[in-house]
Amino acid sequence: MNSQTLKGEWNQMKGSVKQKWADLTDDDLQHVNGDRDKLVGRVQERYGRSREDAEREVDDWRRDNNY
């Protein structure tokens, strides 16, 4: 899946993102707007993860949810 597909399905995925990362605010989700790198950055920021851990977590979530 590419980042364009992620952006195209973002509205459908927001609920799943909120379940996985409840500390992300609605403003965070609006800022991310389907951009993988922005989502990684917000997960990194809110949860104190390293860049590599945040990328792995986001990629695992995408794979598990077929996004």
Side-chain angles (χ1 to χ4, degrees):
M1 167 158 315
N2 61 35
S3 61
Q4 194 68 13
T5 305
L6 183 62
K7 286 183 179 186
E9 297 177 358
W10 182 241
N11 285 331
Q12 297 168 335
M13 297 184 313
K14 283 182 188 177
S16 178
V17 170
K18 279 293 264 189
Q19 283 183 320
K20 174 74 176 169
W21 298 287
D23 288 350
L24 294 180
T25 66
D26 290 337
D27 286 341
D28 288 333
L29 297 179
Q30 186 175 1
H31 172 77
V32 168
N33 196 30
D35 185 295
R36 177 196 173 272
D37 289 334
K38 289 181 181 179
L39 179 57
V40 167
R42 290 298 166 127
V43 169
Q44 182 181 8
E45 178 183 319
R46 294 281 185 231
Y47 290 91
R49 308 269 200 278
S50 69
R51 181 76 182 178
E52 295 80 17
D53 287 345
E55 286 178 338
R56 186 172 27 258
E57 195 171 329
V58 167
D59 290 342
D60 288 348
W61 168 80
R62 289 179 66 188
R63 185 181 56 251
D64 293 346
N65 290 282
N66 297 317
Y67 293 132

